[in-house]
Amino acid sequence: MTTLVARIKILPADLAVNLDSLLSKVKGNIPNGTSLKSHGMEPIAFGLNAVIADFTLNDSEGQMDLLEESIKRSEGVGQIEVINVSRQSVK
């Protein structure tokens, strides 16, 4: 089965949200068969930062929807934006 990499921008609900805590809550909510590959912080404006996270998941029906919903349900998440989805290269 093909593995996908999804890059998702996660915006906190407000400035008071600790991004490290937010990321650990997101990690705890992602569905089985999905993993957090890497992440970074991106400044947005006026002290607000977003998390840019790369998730790996199986290329099967409904997996992307499950991932998006699990991130949105995480405490402290304001909104998300899927930046890119591509196949993971095999080496």
Side-chain angles (χ1 to χ4, degrees), residues 61-80:
E61 188 174 340
Q63 289 300 305
M64 190 64 199
D65 292 333
L66 284 173
L67 175 59
E68 288 180 46
E69 288 303 316
S70 70
I71 295 170
K72 288 176 185 175
R73 281 194 312 267
S74 300
E75 183 183 341
V77 172
Q79 61 183 358
I80 68 167

Side-chain angles (χ1 to χ4, degrees), residues 3-58:
T3 301
L4 300 177
V5 177
R7 178 163 285 178
I8 299 176
K9 180 186 287 189
I10 305 169
L11 295 163
D14 59 51
L15 284 172
V17 174
N18 179 303
L19 294 182
D20 292 326
S21 173
L22 174 73
L23 197 57
S24 66
K25 291 174 185 172
V26 167
K27 278 195 251 184
N29 282 344
I30 58 175
N32 291 335
T34 303
S35 63
L36 177 65
K37 183 177 178 181
S38 63
H39 69 279
M41 306 299 172
E42 178 181 277
I44 303 296
F46 306 109
L48 180 65
N49 291 303
V51 175
I52 306 295
D54 293 336
F55 296 91
T56 57
L57 62 149
N58 293 325

